[in-house]
Amino acid sequence: MELAVSAVTGEIVSRFISFLLSKYSSHEISEEKQLERLQQLLLRVSTVVEEADGRYITNSGMLMQLKGLADAMYRGHHVLDMFRCRNKIQENSIKEVSSPFPPLKRFRAIVDAAGNNKARYLELHKTLGILEAAVDHMAEFVVILGGCDRMSRRPYDAYLYIDNFMFGRHTQKQRLLNFLLEYNSQGLPPVLPIIGSLAVGKKTLVAHVCADERVQSQFSSILHLNEDDLLRLAHSDTLLSGKMLVVVEFVSDLNEKNWEEFYTSLTQMNQGSKVITISRFRKSEKLGTVKPIALDIHSYEELSYLFKTLAFGSVNPKDHPRLLQIAEEFAMQLQLKSTLVAANFLADVLRRNLDVNFWLYMLNRCITVAEKNFSLYGEHTRLLLEQGHRVDITNFDSSPAAPLHIVPCVGADSTGKDLPRVKFTELLLDPSVRPKGEFNLVSWESRLPPYTSFVHFVPNYSQDFPKDTPLSGRKRRGVPS
């Protein structure tokens, strides 16, 4: 019976696809015309998203629509890029590139998919449908958007969209702005928790919004604290006076007793004061008096768009179709297994050498490191870093004299030790810069406020070191509890 149902279902799906294809071919819409239509729709949607990002939006329905527009935009760019490089991939397969590394399975799968006219046509048509639906429902959004006040632009907002900008987070930025600018009644100040995993941009989002002209004029001062400061501020008679914005970052688990004592002391603050908490831990949700903002990992389409923007810089990706395809594979690996920090330092390295063999070489090193750590510990590197577990990055060193492991210093700008500091990009390009013995490895330094440095401790492997063992107990997924 199950076999019969499966056969009937397969036949129905096959006929439906044939019907769609015959319908499209009867209208004689060429692929070239559809790609031209896709570009036109992307231009319209991108224009509206950029305009919306520069205005104050308080309507919750508009924020939901803005998220839909942004998602459609990133998907459209992803599909357009795939079609741009398809012909080159078919003519000159990655297999033909003179390289010591074996062709990647995903590359072969993409090449095969590129040759599948039905699948290719349906993917393009589906994306066009999503964008056309977004544009059809955009008119009312644009009219209401015209009544929203503009934000004042700061110099780096208009800078080249390479390193000096905050990517995405359109709706989260608007929600945070609304919280800070809205009126609140007397009593203890409202608290907004911002929660997200390691290096997803929590502090960058807060810093970006706090630099807004209206936010600056709303508060007499903005105070940045960590959990160690709570009791000291709770016993202060002057530091918490006035209309203030207090930003508290929790880098470890929540001490509820200290928080309660601190929060009770906030009665000194004037009406209109606000509190923001930043944490990786879900427990901090209970601190909030309003709905928390959760920052998730960027979607594959978003991360692909960002990574290509960073990796190609001012170079036109259309001039490098093979590199464009490799960038897609990088984005897939990063989205599944790594962090935005890795996306930044890898893109920085790749931008210096636009050679296919070099990009393939770096990609294979990334894959090898990810597979080795999963084999050793049973988790992807992103989750290992979130848990503060050491990570084996020996394969990033082209000529390792000794094993190379990092011990994450989660939420800290330094390890607290007076050790040599080496940037990850320098180590990747020139392994000889590696110091002997212990040192601090700077994986990335943000170019935007709050200029966070992601620094990890590298132990000395001339000494005895614990044997690699898989993680015990239940594997943690997502944001820590």
Side-chain angles (χ1 to χ4, degrees):
M1 184 62 183
E2 291 181 0
L3 291 175
V5 172
S6 176
V8 171
T9 303
E11 180 65 21
I12 292 173
V13 171
S14 178
R15 290 186 179 185
F16 178 68
I17 293 175
S18 299
F19 167 74
L20 289 177
L21 290 173
S22 62
K23 180 180 177 181
Y24 304 146
S25 60
S26 65
H27 290 168
E28 298 181 351
I29 303 176
S30 67
E31 182 179 291
E32 183 179 352
K33 289 183 178 179
Q34 291 202 68
L35 289 175
E36 183 179 343
R37 174 62 175 163
L38 179 59
Q39 286 182 293
Q40 293 171 349
L41 291 171
L42 274 175
L43 179 60
R44 295 178 64 183
V45 172
S46 300
T47 300
V48 173
V49 170
E50 183 178 342
E51 182 66 22
D53 206 38
R55 296 190 180 244
Y56 295 100
I57 301 175
T58 58
N59 186 292
S60 58
M62 289 184 69
L63 292 179
M64 292 179 63
Q65 192 167 354
L66 175 59
K67 183 180 185 306
L69 288 172
D71 290 344
M73 178 183 71
Y74 294 127
R75 174 172 181 149
H77 279 296
H78 169 68
V79 171
L80 184 61
D81 284 343
M82 294 297 291
F83 273 81
R84 279 173 175 170
C85 62
R86 174 182 56 86
N87 292 334
K88 286 289 184 181
I89 292 173
Q90 286 180 319
E91 294 170 5
N92 303 298
S93 170
I94 293 294
K95 297 177 184 180
E96 298 175 11
V97 177
S98 177
S99 172
F101 304 103
L104 297 168
K105 292 182 180 180
R106 180 168 168 77
F107 287 166
R108 292 199 296 267
I110 291 172
V111 172
D112 293 342
N116 188 333
N117 291 328
K118 290 183 179 181
R120 185 174 72 248
Y121 201 88
L122 286 175
E123 177 64 22
L124 175 57
H125 181 76
K126 184 177 180 180
T127 302
L128 275 172
I130 292 173
L131 280 166
E132 285 173 344
V135 170
D136 288 342
H137 295 88
M138 205 165 60
E140 186 180 46
F141 178 87
V142 172
V143 171
I144 301 175
L145 186 65
C148 298
D149 293 339
R150 289 184 179 276
M151 299 178 187
S152 61
R153 288 294 184 180
R154 295 173 298 281
Y156 70 75
D157 288 328
Y159 197 76
L160 288 176
Y161 280 70
I162 299 176
D163 294 313
N164 291 38
F165 75 108
M166 188 189 73
F167 176 75
R169 307 303 189 195
H170 307 285
T171 56
Q172 292 93 338
K173 182 187 72 174
Q174 294 288 349
R175 278 195 57 201
L176 182 53
L177 276 169
N178 293 340
F179 168 76
L180 295 177
L181 298 178
E182 68 185 359
Y183 172 81
N184 61 280
S185 58
Q186 294 181 347
L188 288 171
V191 180
L192 171 64
I194 297 180
I195 303 169
S197 57
L198 179 68
V200 296
K202 300 182 291 296
K203 288 190 288 185
T204 300
L205 173 65
V206 172
H208 183 79
V209 171
C210 287
D212 182 85
E213 186 179 67
R214 287 194 179 184
V215 174
Q216 291 281 335
S217 62
Q218 185 85 351
F219 302 98
S220 58
S221 59
I222 300 176
L223 194 61
H224 294 268
L225 311 173
N226 57 48
E227 66 263 42
D228 296 330
D229 300 320
L230 296 184
L231 290 181
R232 178 174 62 85
L233 268 294
H235 300 143
S236 170
D237 296 327
T238 58
L239 289 178
L240 293 178
S241 60
K243 185 178 179 181
M244 302 184 61
L245 170 60
V246 180
V247 181
V248 184
E249 181 185 5
F250 293 94
V251 296
S252 58
D253 210 348
L254 176 65
N255 186 319
E256 295 185 36
K257 183 179 179 181
N258 289 354
W259 170 261
E260 290 174 3
E261 187 173 349
F262 166 75
Y263 189 56
T264 303
S265 71
L266 298 185
T267 51
Q268 305 172 50
M269 297 167 65
N270 289 2
Q271 182 180 345
S273 296
K274 304 285 175 71
V275 178
I276 298 172
T277 64
I278 300 173
S279 176
R280 297 185 299 119
F281 300 93
R282 287 288 185 189
K283 289 180 181 179
S284 64
E285 284 185 4
K286 66 177 67 175
L287 306 181
T289 61
V290 298
K291 185 178 179 181
I293 293 177
L295 294 186
D296 298 321
I297 299 169
H298 288 290
S299 69
Y300 168 55
E301 289 79 11
E302 282 182 300
L303 191 57
S304 173
Y305 183 90
L306 172 63
F307 186 77
K308 286 180 287 189
T309 301
L310 295 172
F312 286 101
S314 59
V315 175
N316 191 340
K318 290 190 292 185
D319 297 334
H320 302 273
R322 290 176 177 171
L323 296 184
L324 192 63
Q325 195 65 45
I326 300 173
E328 293 284 353
E329 178 68 20
F330 267 110
M332 177 63 73
Q333 294 294 324
L334 290 166
Q335 204 274 336
L336 291 175
K337 304 169 185 177
S338 200
T339 66
L340 280 177
V341 173
N344 275 282
F345 74 70
L346 285 171
D348 187 39
V349 170
L350 296 175
R351 192 165 63 233
R352 304 173 190 223
N353 187 352
L354 300 180
D355 177 74
V356 172
N357 287 338
F358 178 72
W359 281 41
L360 278 174
Y361 172 62
M362 292 302 303
L363 177 58
N364 274 275
R365 289 165 79 177
C366 291
I367 293 173
T368 302
V369 167
E371 290 178 345
K372 184 174 182 179
N373 280 281
F374 191 85
S375 175
L376 289 172
Y377 308 119
E379 289 282 21
H380 290 309
T381 50
R382 171 165 48 84
L383 292 177
L384 293 174
L385 291 170
E386 285 182 16
Q387 298 173 39
H389 194 278
R390 68 186 173 111
V391 175
D392 187 340
I393 61 169
T394 307
N395 291 99
F396 273 129
D397 190 342
S398 58
S399 55
L404 186 62
H405 286 219
I406 58 173
V407 179
C409 300
V410 178
D413 284 349
S414 68
T415 60
K417 294 185 178 182
D418 186 16
L419 294 173
R421 288 166 68 97
V422 176
K423 292 184 178 180
F424 210 154
T425 52
E426 296 173 350
L427 185 65
L428 289 174
L429 294 170
D430 182 11
S432 65
V433 302
R434 177 179 176 179
K436 295 182 179 179
E438 300 177 343
F439 65 97
N440 289 336
L441 186 66
V442 184
S443 55
W444 187 248
E445 293 177 315
S446 173
R447 292 189 174 98
L448 284 180
Y451 304 109
T452 304
S453 294
F454 296 90
V455 184
H456 307 303
F457 170 62
V458 178
N460 184 2
Y461 270 81
S462 62
Q463 304 169 358
D464 292 335
F465 204 83
K467 184 179 178 182
D468 291 316
T469 56
L471 295 181
S472 59
R474 182 176 60 88
K475 296 179 182 178
R476 298 200 297 175
R477 301 292 181 187
V479 178
S481 60

Coordinates of all heavy atoms in Angstrom, one line a residue, residues 169 196-201 295-300 303-304 306-307 329-347 362-363 365-371 373-374 379-387 391-393 396 406 408 424 428 443-444 454 456 477-478:
R169 N 20.1 43.0 10.3 CA 19.5 43.3 11.5 C 18.5 44.5 11.4 O 18.4 45.3 12.3 CB 20.5 43.6 12.6 CG 21.6 42.5 12.8 CD 21.1 41.2 13.1 NE 22.1 40.2 13.5 CZ 21.9 38.9 13.5 NH1 20.7 38.4 13.2 NH2 22.8 38.1 13.8
G196 N 21.7 36.3 22.3 CA 22.2 35.7 21.1 C 23.5 35.0 21.3 O 24.2 35.2 22.3
S197 N 23.9 34.1 20.5 CA 25.0 33.2 20.7 C 26.3 34.1 20.4 O 26.3 35.3 20.2 CB 25.0 32.0 19.7 OG 24.9 32.5 18.4
L198 N 27.4 33.4 20.6 CA 28.7 34.1 20.5 C 28.9 34.8 19.1 O 28.7 34.2 18.1 CB 29.8 33.0 20.7 CG 31.3 33.5 20.7 CD1 31.6 34.5 21.8 CD2 32.2 32.4 20.6
A199 N 29.4 36.0 19.2 CA 29.8 36.8 18.0 C 28.7 36.9 16.9 O 29.0 36.8 15.7 CB 31.0 36.1 17.4
V200 N 27.5 37.1 17.3 CA 26.4 37.4 16.3 C 26.1 38.9 16.2 O 25.3 39.3 15.3 CB 25.1 36.7 16.7 CG1 25.3 35.2 16.7 CG2 24.5 37.1 18.0
G201 N 26.8 39.7 17.0 CA 26.7 41.2 16.8 C 25.8 41.9 17.8 O 25.2 42.9 17.5
L295 N 18.9 37.6 18.7 CA 19.7 37.7 17.5 C 20.2 36.2 17.1 O 20.9 35.6 17.8 CB 21.0 38.5 17.7 CG 20.8 40.0 17.9 CD1 22.1 40.8 18.0 CD2 19.9 40.6 16.9
D296 N 19.7 35.8 16.0 CA 20.0 34.4 15.5 C 21.2 34.5 14.5 O 21.6 35.6 14.1 CB 18.8 33.8 14.8 CG 17.6 33.6 15.7 OD1 17.8 33.3 16.9 OD2 16.5 33.9 15.3
I297 N 21.7 33.4 14.2 CA 22.7 33.3 13.2 C 22.1 33.7 11.8 O 20.9 33.4 11.5 CB 23.3 31.8 13.1 CG1 23.9 31.4 14.4 CG2 24.3 31.7 11.9 CD1 24.2 30.0 14.5
H298 N 22.8 34.4 11.0 CA 22.3 34.9 9.7 C 21.9 33.6 8.9 O 22.6 32.6 8.9 CB 23.4 35.7 9.0 CG 23.6 37.0 9.5 ND1 22.6 38.0 9.4 CD2 24.6 37.6 10.2 CE1 23.1 39.1 10.0 NE2 24.3 38.9 10.5
S299 N 20.9 33.8 8.1 CA 20.5 32.7 7.1 C 21.6 32.5 6.1 O 22.5 33.4 5.9 CB 19.2 33.1 6.4 OG 19.4 34.2 5.5
Y300 N 21.6 31.4 5.4 CA 22.6 31.1 4.4 C 22.6 32.2 3.3 O 23.7 32.7 2.9 CB 22.3 29.8 3.8 CG 23.2 29.5 2.5 CD1 24.5 29.6 2.5 CD2 22.5 29.1 1.3 CE1 25.3 29.3 1.4 CE2 23.3 28.9 0.2 CZ 24.7 29.0 0.2 OH 25.4 28.8 -0.9
L303 N 24.3 35.4 4.8 CA 25.7 35.2 5.1 C 26.4 35.1 3.7 O 27.6 35.6 3.6 CB 26.0 33.9 5.9 CG 27.4 33.8 6.4 CD1 27.8 35.0 7.3 CD2 27.5 32.5 7.2
S304 N 25.8 34.5 2.7 CA 26.4 34.4 1.4 C 26.6 35.8 0.8 O 27.7 36.2 0.3 CB 25.6 33.6 0.5 OG 26.0 33.6 -0.8
L306 N 26.8 38.7 2.5 CA 27.8 39.4 3.3 C 29.2 38.9 3.0 O 30.1 39.7 2.8 CB 27.5 39.2 4.8 CG 28.6 39.7 5.8 CD1 28.7 41.2 5.7 CD2 28.3 39.3 7.2
F307 N 29.4 37.6 2.9 CA 30.7 37.1 2.7 C 31.3 37.5 1.4 O 32.5 37.9 1.2 CB 30.7 35.6 2.8 CG 32.1 34.9 2.8 CD1 32.9 35.0 3.8 CD2 32.5 34.4 1.6 CE1 34.2 34.4 3.8 CE2 33.8 33.8 1.5 CZ 34.6 33.8 2.6
E329 N 30.4 28.2 -1.3 CA 30.7 27.1 -0.5 C 31.3 27.5 0.9 O 31.0 26.9 1.9 CB 31.7 26.2 -1.2 CG 32.2 25.0 -0.4 CD 31.2 24.0 -0.2 OE1 30.2 24.0 -0.9 OE2 31.3 23.2 0.8
F330 N 32.1 28.6 0.9 CA 32.5 29.2 2.1 C 31.4 29.6 3.0 O 31.3 29.3 4.2 CB 33.4 30.4 1.8 CG 34.9 30.2 1.8 CD1 35.5 30.3 0.6 CD2 35.6 29.8 2.9 CE1 36.9 30.0 0.5 CE2 37.0 29.6 2.8 CZ 37.6 29.7 1.6
A331 N 30.4 30.2 2.4 CA 29.2 30.7 3.1 C 28.4 29.5 3.8 O 28.0 29.6 4.9 CB 28.3 31.5 2.2
M332 N 28.3 28.4 3.0 CA 27.7 27.2 3.5 C 28.4 26.7 4.7 O 27.8 26.3 5.8 CB 27.5 26.2 2.4 CG 26.9 24.9 2.9 SD 25.2 25.1 3.4 CE 24.4 25.3 1.9
Q333 N 29.7 26.6 4.6 CA 30.5 26.0 5.7 C 30.4 26.9 7.0 O 30.3 26.5 8.1 CB 32.0 25.9 5.3 CG 32.2 24.9 4.2 CD 32.0 23.5 4.7 OE1 32.3 23.1 5.8 NE2 31.5 22.7 3.8
L334 N 30.5 28.3 6.7 CA 30.4 29.2 7.8 C 29.1 29.2 8.5 O 29.0 29.3 9.7 CB 30.7 30.6 7.3 CG 32.2 30.8 6.9 CD1 32.3 32.1 6.1 CD2 33.1 30.9 8.1
Q335 N 28.0 29.1 7.7 CA 26.6 29.2 8.3 C 26.4 27.9 9.2 O 25.7 28.0 10.2 CB 25.6 29.3 7.2 CG 24.3 29.9 7.6 CD 23.3 28.9 8.1 OE1 23.4 27.7 7.9 NE2 22.4 29.4 9.0
L336 N 26.9 26.8 8.8 CA 26.6 25.6 9.5 C 27.6 25.4 10.7 O 27.2 24.8 11.7 CB 26.8 24.4 8.5 CG 25.7 24.2 7.4 CD1 26.1 23.1 6.5 CD2 24.3 24.0 8.0
K337 N 28.8 25.8 10.5 CA 29.8 25.3 11.5 C 30.6 26.4 12.2 O 31.4 26.2 13.1 CB 30.8 24.4 10.8 CG 30.2 23.2 10.0 CD 31.2 22.5 9.1 CE 30.5 21.4 8.3 NZ 31.4 20.8 7.4
S338 N 30.5 27.7 11.7 CA 31.4 28.7 12.3 C 30.7 30.0 12.6 O 29.5 30.0 12.8 CB 32.6 29.0 11.3 OG 33.7 29.5 11.9
T339 N 31.4 31.1 12.7 CA 30.9 32.3 13.3 C 31.1 33.5 12.3 O 31.9 33.4 11.3 CB 31.5 32.7 14.6 OG1 32.9 33.0 14.4 CG2 31.3 31.6 15.6
L340 N 30.5 34.6 12.6 CA 30.7 35.8 11.8 C 32.2 36.3 11.9 O 32.7 36.9 11.0 CB 29.8 37.0 12.3 CG 28.4 37.0 11.8 CD1 27.6 38.1 12.4 CD2 28.3 37.1 10.2
V341 N 32.8 36.0 13.1 CA 34.2 36.4 13.2 C 35.1 35.6 12.2 O 35.9 36.2 11.5 CB 34.7 36.0 14.6 CG1 36.2 36.2 14.8 CG2 34.0 36.8 15.7
A342 N 34.8 34.3 12.0 CA 35.5 33.6 11.0 C 35.2 34.1 9.6 O 36.1 34.2 8.7 CB 35.1 32.1 11.1
A343 N 34.0 34.5 9.3 CA 33.6 35.1 8.0 C 34.5 36.3 7.7 O 34.9 36.6 6.6 CB 32.2 35.4 8.0
N344 N 34.7 37.2 8.8 CA 35.4 38.4 8.6 C 36.9 38.1 8.3 O 37.5 38.7 7.4 CB 35.3 39.3 9.8 CG 34.0 40.2 9.7 OD1 34.0 41.2 9.1 ND2 33.0 39.7 10.4
F345 N 37.6 37.3 9.1 CA 39.0 37.1 8.9 C 39.3 36.3 7.7 O 40.3 36.5 7.0 CB 39.7 36.6 10.2 CG 39.5 35.2 10.5 CD1 40.1 34.1 9.8 CD2 38.8 34.8 11.7 CE1 39.9 32.8 10.1 CE2 38.6 33.5 12.1 CZ 39.2 32.5 11.3
L346 N 38.4 35.4 7.3 CA 38.6 34.6 6.1 C 38.5 35.5 4.9 O 39.3 35.4 3.9 CB 37.7 33.4 6.1 CG 38.0 32.2 7.0 CD1 36.9 31.2 7.0 CD2 39.3 31.6 6.5
A347 N 37.4 36.3 4.9 CA 37.2 37.2 3.8 C 38.4 38.2 3.6 O 38.8 38.5 2.5 CB 35.9 38.0 4.0
M362 N 42.4 27.5 0.8 CA 41.8 27.9 2.1 C 40.5 27.2 2.4 O 40.3 26.9 3.6 CB 41.6 29.4 2.0 CG 42.9 30.3 1.9 SD 44.0 30.0 3.3 CE 42.9 30.4 4.7
L363 N 39.7 27.0 1.4 CA 38.4 26.3 1.7 C 38.7 24.9 2.2 O 38.0 24.4 3.2 CB 37.6 26.2 0.4 CG 36.2 25.5 0.5 CD1 35.3 26.1 1.6 CD2 35.5 25.5 -0.8
R365 N 41.2 23.8 3.8 CA 41.8 23.9 5.2 C 40.6 24.1 6.2 O 40.6 23.6 7.3 CB 42.8 25.1 5.3 CG 44.1 24.8 4.6 CD 44.9 26.0 4.4 NE 45.7 26.4 5.6 CZ 46.5 27.4 5.6 NH1 46.7 28.1 4.6 NH2 47.1 27.7 6.8
C366 N 39.7 25.0 5.8 CA 38.5 25.2 6.7 C 37.7 23.9 6.9 O 37.3 23.6 8.0 CB 37.6 26.3 6.1 SG 38.3 27.9 6.1
I367 N 37.5 23.2 5.8 CA 36.7 22.0 5.9 C 37.4 21.0 6.8 O 36.8 20.3 7.6 CB 36.4 21.4 4.5 CG1 35.5 22.4 3.8 CG2 35.8 20.0 4.6 CD1 35.3 22.0 2.3
T368 N 38.7 20.8 6.6 CA 39.5 19.9 7.3 C 39.5 20.2 8.8 O 39.3 19.3 9.7 CB 41.0 19.9 6.9 OG1 41.0 19.6 5.5 CG2 41.8 18.9 7.6
V369 N 39.6 21.5 9.2 CA 39.6 21.9 10.6 C 38.2 21.5 11.2 O 38.1 21.0 12.3 CB 39.9 23.4 10.8 CG1 39.5 23.9 12.2 CG2 41.3 23.7 10.5
A370 N 37.1 21.9 10.5 CA 35.8 21.6 11.0 C 35.6 20.1 11.2 O 35.0 19.6 12.2 CB 34.8 22.2 10.0
E371 N 36.0 19.3 10.2 CA 35.8 17.8 10.3 C 36.6 17.2 11.4 O 36.2 16.3 12.1 CB 36.1 17.2 8.9 CG 35.1 17.5 7.8 CD 35.5 16.9 6.5 OE1 36.7 16.5 6.4 OE2 34.7 16.9 5.6
N373 N 37.6 18.7 14.3 CA 37.1 19.0 15.6 C 35.8 18.2 15.8 O 35.5 17.8 16.9 CB 36.8 20.5 15.7 CG 38.1 21.2 16.0 OD1 38.5 21.3 17.1 ND2 38.7 21.8 15.0
F374 N 35.0 18.0 14.8 CA 33.8 17.2 14.9 C 34.1 15.8 15.3 O 33.4 15.2 16.1 CB 32.9 17.3 13.7 CG 31.5 16.8 13.9 CD1 30.5 17.6 14.4 CD2 31.2 15.5 13.6 CE1 29.2 17.1 14.6 CE2 29.9 14.9 13.8 CZ 28.9 15.8 14.3
E379 N 31.2 18.0 18.1 CA 30.5 19.2 17.9 C 31.2 20.1 16.8 O 32.4 19.9 16.6 CB 30.5 20.1 19.2 CG 29.6 19.5 20.3 CD 28.1 19.8 20.1 OE1 27.7 20.1 18.9 OE2 27.3 19.7 21.0
H380 N 30.4 20.9 16.2 CA 31.0 21.9 15.2 C 31.7 23.0 16.0 O 31.5 23.2 17.1 CB 29.9 22.5 14.3 CG 29.3 21.5 13.4 ND1 30.1 20.7 12.5 CD2 28.0 21.2 13.1 CE1 29.3 20.0 11.8 NE2 28.0 20.3 12.1
T381 N 32.7 23.6 15.3 CA 33.6 24.6 16.0 C 32.8 25.7 16.6 O 33.1 26.3 17.6 CB 34.6 25.1 15.0 OG1 33.9 25.5 13.8 CG2 35.6 24.1 14.6
R382 N 31.7 26.1 15.9 CA 30.9 27.2 16.5 C 30.4 26.9 17.9 O 30.4 27.7 18.8 CB 29.7 27.6 15.5 CG 28.7 28.6 16.1 CD 27.8 29.1 15.0 NE 27.3 28.1 14.2 CZ 26.2 27.4 14.5 NH1 25.5 27.6 15.6 NH2 25.7 26.5 13.6
L383 N 29.9 25.7 18.1 CA 29.3 25.3 19.4 C 30.5 25.1 20.4 O 30.3 25.4 21.6 CB 28.5 24.1 19.2 CG 27.2 24.3 18.5 CD1 26.4 22.9 18.3 CD2 26.3 25.3 19.1
L384 N 31.6 24.6 19.9 CA 32.7 24.5 20.8 C 33.2 25.8 21.3 O 33.5 26.0 22.5 CB 33.9 23.8 20.1 CG 33.7 22.3 19.7 CD1 34.9 21.8 18.8 CD2 33.5 21.4 20.9
L385 N 33.2 26.8 20.5 CA 33.6 28.2 20.9 C 32.6 28.8 21.9 O 33.0 29.4 22.9 CB 33.8 29.1 19.7 CG 35.0 28.8 18.8 CD1 34.9 29.5 17.5 CD2 36.3 29.1 19.4
E386 N 31.3 28.5 21.6 CA 30.3 29.0 22.5 C 30.4 28.4 23.9 O 30.2 29.1 24.9 CB 28.9 28.7 22.0 CG 28.5 29.6 20.8 CD 27.1 29.3 20.3 OE1 26.4 28.6 21.1 OE2 26.7 29.7 19.2
Q387 N 30.8 27.2 24.0 CA 30.9 26.5 25.3 C 32.3 26.7 25.9 O 32.5 26.2 27.0 CB 30.7 25.0 25.0 CG 29.4 24.6 24.5 CD 29.3 23.2 24.1 OE1 29.8 22.3 24.8 NE2 28.6 22.9 23.0
V391 N 39.7 24.4 20.7 CA 39.5 24.0 19.3 C 40.8 23.7 18.7 O 41.8 24.5 18.8 CB 38.7 25.1 18.6 CG1 38.6 24.8 17.1 CG2 37.3 25.3 19.2
D392 N 40.9 22.7 17.9 CA 42.1 22.3 17.2 C 42.1 23.0 15.9 O 41.3 22.8 15.0 CB 42.2 20.8 17.0 CG 43.5 20.3 16.4 OD1 44.2 21.1 15.8 OD2 43.8 19.1 16.6
I393 N 43.1 23.9 15.7 CA 43.2 24.7 14.4 C 44.6 24.4 13.8 O 45.0 25.2 12.9 CB 43.0 26.2 14.6 CG1 44.1 26.7 15.6 CG2 41.6 26.5 15.1 CD1 44.1 28.3 15.6
F396 N 45.2 24.9 10.0 CA 45.3 26.2 9.5 C 46.7 26.6 9.3 O 47.0 27.5 8.5 CB 44.6 27.2 10.4 CG 43.1 27.4 10.1 CD1 42.2 27.3 11.1 CD2 42.6 27.6 8.8 CE1 40.8 27.4 10.9 CE2 41.3 27.7 8.5 CZ 40.4 27.6 9.6
I406 N 43.4 26.5 20.3 CA 43.0 27.8 20.9 C 42.0 27.5 22.0 O 41.2 26.6 22.0 CB 42.3 28.8 19.9 CG1 41.1 28.2 19.3 CG2 43.3 29.2 18.9 CD1 40.3 29.2 18.4
P408 N 39.1 29.4 23.9 CA 38.3 30.7 23.7 C 38.3 31.4 25.0 O 38.1 30.9 26.1 CB 37.0 30.2 23.3 CG 37.2 28.8 22.8 CD 38.3 28.2 23.6
F424 N 45.1 36.4 13.4 CA 44.8 35.1 12.7 C 45.2 35.3 11.2 O 45.7 34.4 10.6 CB 43.4 34.7 12.9 CG 43.1 33.3 12.8 CD1 42.0 32.7 13.5 CD2 44.0 32.4 12.1 CE1 41.8 31.3 13.5 CE2 43.8 31.1 12.1 CZ 42.7 30.5 12.8
L428 N 47.7 32.9 9.0 CA 47.2 32.2 7.8 C 48.1 32.5 6.6 O 48.4 31.6 5.8 CB 45.8 32.5 7.5 CG 44.7 32.0 8.4 CD1 43.3 32.5 8.0 CD2 44.7 30.5 8.4
S443 N 41.6 36.7 16.7 CA 40.9 36.2 15.5 C 40.3 37.3 14.7 O 40.3 37.3 13.4 CB 39.8 35.2 15.9 OG 38.9 35.8 16.8
W444 N 39.9 38.4 15.4 CA 39.3 39.5 14.6 C 39.2 40.7 15.6 O 38.9 40.6 16.7 CB 38.0 39.2 14.0 CG 37.4 40.3 13.1 CD1 36.4 41.1 13.3 CD2 38.0 40.7 11.9 NE1 36.2 42.0 12.3 CE2 37.2 41.8 11.3 CE3 39.1 40.3 11.1 CZ2 37.5 42.4 10.1 CZ3 39.4 40.9 9.9 CH2 38.6 41.9 9.4
F454 N 38.4 39.8 19.5 CA 38.1 38.4 19.8 C 39.5 37.7 19.9 O 40.2 37.5 18.9 CB 37.3 37.8 18.7 CG 35.9 38.4 18.6 CD1 35.7 39.5 17.8 CD2 34.9 37.9 19.4 CE1 34.4 40.1 17.7 CE2 33.6 38.5 19.3 CZ 33.4 39.6 18.5
H456 N 42.0 34.7 21.7 CA 42.0 33.4 22.2 C 43.4 33.0 22.7 O 44.4 33.5 22.1 CB 41.5 32.4 21.2 CG 40.2 32.7 20.6 ND1 39.1 32.9 21.4 CD2 39.8 32.9 19.3 CE1 38.1 33.1 20.6 NE2 38.5 33.2 19.4
R477 N 22.7 22.8 21.9 CA 22.3 23.3 20.6 C 21.8 24.8 20.8 O 21.1 25.1 21.7 CB 21.2 22.5 20.0 CG 21.6 21.1 19.8 CD 22.6 20.9 18.7 NE 23.0 19.5 18.5 CZ 24.0 19.1 17.8 NH1 24.7 20.0 17.1 NH2 24.3 17.8 17.6
G478 N 22.2 25.6 19.8 CA 21.7 27.0 19.8 C 22.2 27.8 20.9 O 23.4 27.6 21.4

